[in-house]
């Protein structure tokens, strides 16, 4: 899940592009900043809790056709986008998620709204506000979060993991984004949800009042913005303060030189708007395991498969693969590798199973390679693990639902989602240099 916080701007030299500058909630630029009060163990436990919840959420979405593509409840590591809506330029901050389609914010009158620090948007004060017609295709499709109620008004009711929900009116409004040099870029007729009732929403008592969706769903901002390409580059997390992220759209997305870029096609899974990839095999320290061809395919019950997801902070490997436990096999190779190096294994830390004492000068960490159809994605050894002052753990969790390439193993990678090509592109990059907004 990606959440963006002001400032961000359009590229002055590229009017058909858009770049958003994001700060994670554990950075000083975020209203949710609190990393200094957390120990290393506490920060890692938050990573693990978020990833485990994300895996459960993805399973819920696939098996329940009435579920909304919505980020699971998680307590931190958000990015927030700040902009204004309506003719009165009402200020909002919304959580932003690459796995979520529906955009929504709280609106007056509220029957049962959660407390938020910023004023709640009043649609009656905006001359650009309108209700989405029941005749609109998004209010008639079976895969849309919107539906026509009593043949007269288009509404939505979104239910999430853990019993949370929000509901309200399907609406149309103008969104205004900062465009640099005290200018604003305006997008009229954006379709979103005006929430009038909610329960157990996890970001209550903050500035955040809703969600900004960036999945492949037809109602997402990426679809309405006609952004066929978007890109990001995660600077190394380490133990220092997180570096801001630049999310780039359309013409602002870098064109990578052919020798450097690798490309693998997305796998289309009916009714699922996540970014699935065709994973053929996995290597650890250049040792190719040799999984059977169908190991990482989507199963008949719609579990399985491989997803790239920035909302899963740590990579997850499916332990419910047919015929062989892929998670166990991968961890077995890691164990054999570090055993051959004479490292001393120590008890697990939190849910990280494979941990070792860290000799003062040791640098020979095993790489991890995902062999996708047409492209090998290799994670440098230092980004495979999570480090503590005197030890390290292999940063891989197990799941019974799917394999997910998480954000920790996307560090120092240029990641490009090209929806027009129907492919993921990636290359190695020093992401701390990805600045400019």
């Amino acid at each position: 899940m990606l959440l963006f916080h002001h400032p961000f701007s359009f590229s002055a030299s590229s009017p058909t592009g858009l770049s958003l500058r994001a700060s994670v909630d554990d950075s000083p630029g975020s209203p949710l900043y609190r990393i200094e009060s957390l120990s290393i163990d506490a920060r890692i436990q938050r990573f693990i809790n978020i990833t485990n919840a994300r895996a459960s959420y993805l399973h819920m979405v696939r098996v329940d056709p009435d579920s909304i593509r919505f980020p699971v409840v998680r307590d931190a590591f958000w990015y927030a986008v700040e902009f204004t809506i309506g003719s009165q330029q009402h200020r909002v901050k919304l959580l932003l998620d690459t796995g979520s389609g529906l955009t929504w914010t709280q609106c007056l009158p509220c029957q049962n709204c959660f407390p938020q620090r910023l004023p709640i948007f009043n649609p009656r004060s905006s001359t650009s506000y309108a209700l989405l017609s029941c005749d609109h295709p998004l209010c008639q499709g079976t895969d849309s979060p919107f539906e026509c109620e009593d043949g007269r008004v288009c509404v939505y009711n979104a239910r999430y993991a853990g019993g949370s929900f929000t509901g309200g009116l399907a609406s149309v409004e103008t969104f205004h984004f900062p465009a640099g040099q005290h200018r604003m870029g305006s997008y009229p007729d954006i379709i979103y949800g005006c929430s009038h009732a909610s329960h157990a929403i996890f970001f209550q008592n903050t500035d955040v009042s809703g969600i900004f969706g960036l999945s492949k769903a037809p109602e997402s901002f990426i679809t309405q913005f006609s952004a066929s390409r978007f890109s990001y580059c995660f600077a190394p997390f380490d133990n220092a303060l997180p570096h801001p992220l630049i999310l780039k759209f359309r013409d602002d997305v870098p064109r990578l030189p052919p020798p450097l870029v690798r490309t693998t096609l997305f796998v289309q899974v009916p009714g699922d708007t996540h970014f699935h990839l065709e994973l053929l095999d996995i290597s650890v320290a250049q040792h190719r395991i040799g999984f059977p061809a169908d190991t990482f395919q989507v199963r008949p019950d719609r579990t399985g498969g491989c997803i790239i997801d920035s909302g899963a902070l740590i990579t997850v490997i499916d332990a419910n693969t047919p015929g062989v436990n892929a998670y166990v096999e991968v961890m077995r190779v890691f164990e054999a590798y570090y055993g051959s190096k004479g490292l001393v294994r120590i008890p697990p830390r939190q849910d990280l199973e494979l941990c070792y004492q860290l000799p003062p000068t040791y640098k020979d960490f095993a790489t991890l390679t995902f062999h996708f159809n047409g492209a090998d994605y290799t994670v440098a050894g230092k980004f495979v693990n999570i480090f503590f002052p005197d030890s390290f753990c292999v940063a891989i969790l197990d799941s019974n639902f799917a394999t997910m390439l998480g954000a920790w193993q996307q560090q120092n990678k240029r990641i490009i989602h090209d929806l027009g090509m129907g492919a993921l592109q990636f290359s190695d990059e020093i992401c701390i240099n990805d600045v400019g907004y």
Side-chain angles (χ1 to χ4, degrees):
M1 179 169 70
L2 295 179
L3 245 198
F4 292 82
H5 179 64
H6 180 76
F8 57 70
S9 68
F10 296 96
S11 168
S13 62
S14 181
T16 58
L18 171 64
S19 293
L20 307 180
R21 184 178 186 272
S23 57
V24 71
D25 78 325
D26 273 348
S27 71
S30 167
L32 304 175
Y33 174 60
R34 55 181 180 176
I35 197 168
E36 290 180 344
S37 64
L38 297 178
S39 66
I40 294 176
D41 282 311
R43 282 180 240 167
I44 300 309
Q45 188 61 57
R46 289 165 72 191
F47 273 112
I48 292 169
N49 291 344
I50 292 167
T51 301
N52 285 336
R54 185 68 172 185
S56 298
Y57 159 71
L58 292 175
H59 174 64
M60 179 196 72
V61 167
R62 290 193 200 152
V63 300
D64 181 359
D66 295 325
S67 295
I68 302 302
R69 279 69 177 171
F70 185 81
V72 298
V73 174
R74 34 190 268 185
D75 76 345
F77 293 92
W78 303 320
Y79 290 89
V81 58
E82 180 179 353
F83 58 100
T84 64
I85 63 175
S87 61
Q88 300 300 311
Q89 302 273 317
H90 181 91
R91 181 172 165 236
V92 297
K93 287 184 181 178
L94 302 182
L95 301 184
L96 193 148
D97 184 22
T98 57
S100 178
L102 175 67
T103 293
W104 63 270
T105 188
Q106 293 198 119
C107 297
L108 295 175
C110 268
Q111 298 172 339
N112 185 23
C113 283
F114 59 87
Q116 64 178 67
R117 292 176 186 167
L118 293 178
I120 297 176
F121 176 58
N122 184 359
R124 295 178 181 176
S125 67
S126 174
T127 58
S128 54
Y129 176 83
L131 294 174
L132 185 67
S133 169
C134 276
D135 296 331
H136 194 281
L138 282 182
C139 202
Q140 298 177 341
T142 57
D143 293 330
S144 172
F146 307 120
E147 62 179 353
C148 189
E149 186 176 80
D150 299 331
R152 59 183 182 85
V153 61
C154 190
V155 301
Y156 76 95
N157 288 282
R159 297 189 177 275
Y160 321 132
S164 302
F165 73 85
T166 183
L169 298 174
S171 305
V172 180
E173 186 56 278
T174 298
F175 287 15
H176 310 275
F177 296 99
Q181 302 298 319
H182 307 291
R183 296 181 293 109
M184 297 296 292
S186 298
Y187 286 89
D189 302 325
I190 297 295
I191 298 169
Y192 72 107
C194 221
S195 174
H196 294 289
S198 60
H199 173 71
I201 299 298
F202 62 99
F203 41 75
Q204 56 184 302
N205 295 312
T206 71
D207 288 350
V208 178
S209 62
I211 293 290
F212 195 81
L214 199 65
S215 76
K216 296 186 293 182
E219 70 274 10
S220 75
F221 178 77
I222 217 175
T223 303
Q224 297 190 59
F225 183 59
S226 299
S228 61
R229 304 176 80 230
F230 71 93
S231 171
Y232 56 81
C233 194
F234 290 136
F237 298 140
D238 293 324
N239 292 324
L241 299 180
H243 190 270
L245 167 71
I246 309 295
L247 183 72
K248 300 181 179 182
F249 296 89
R250 297 202 307 202
D251 288 353
D252 278 3
V253 175
R255 299 286 178 178
L256 302 177
L260 300 180
V261 66
R262 294 173 177 84
T263 302
T264 182
L265 296 178
F266 292 126
V267 176
Q268 303 303 318
V269 178
D272 194 321
T273 60
H274 295 98
F275 295 102
H276 287 259
L277 302 171
E278 186 177 1
L279 178 60
L280 305 178
D281 205 353
I282 295 176
S283 290
V284 175
Q286 300 182 339
H287 170 77
R288 187 155 180 161
I289 296 175
F291 285 110
D294 62 347
T295 301
F296 300 103
Q297 292 182 0
V298 177
R299 298 185 281 269
D301 64 356
R302 302 183 71 191
T303 61
C306 179
I307 296 166
I308 182 169
D309 185 3
S310 57
L313 299 181
I314 297 175
T315 286
V316 169
I317 294 181
D318 195 351
N320 197 32
T321 47
V324 60
N325 185 323
Y327 169 78
V328 168
E329 291 302 313
V330 169
M331 299 306 279
R332 185 175 295 164
V333 179
F334 274 109
E335 185 177 10
Y337 176 83
Y338 287 120
S340 72
K341 301 296 181 181
L343 297 190
V344 177
R345 187 171 175 181
I346 61 175
R349 299 192 70 155
Q350 288 105 6
D351 290 340
L352 298 176
E353 175 186 348
L354 202 57
C355 301
Y356 293 90
Q357 291 180 5
L358 181 60
T361 60
Y362 187 81
K363 302 290 184 182
D364 195 9
F365 301 104
T367 58
L368 174 68
T369 299
F370 288 85
H371 299 284
F372 295 118
N373 187 3
D376 288 347
Y377 182 101
T378 298
V379 183
K382 64 180 178 179
F383 298 135
V384 175
N385 308 295
I386 288 178
F387 293 91
F388 302 89
D390 57 355
S391 63
F392 71 96
C393 299
V394 177
I396 297 176
L397 299 172
D398 66 333
S399 165
N400 290 323
F401 308 131
T403 295
M404 297 186 294
L405 176 55
W408 196 267
Q409 280 76 26
Q410 296 178 46
Q411 296 177 77
N412 269 358
K413 298 281 189 182
R414 167 63 58 186
I415 305 292
I416 299 174
H417 293 69
D418 193 318
L419 279 67
M421 185 187 300
L424 181 81
Q425 295 186 309
F426 54 88
S427 69
D428 295 330
E429 186 170 324
I430 305 301
C431 293
I432 200 169
N433 296 328
D434 189 35
V435 296
Y437 294 93

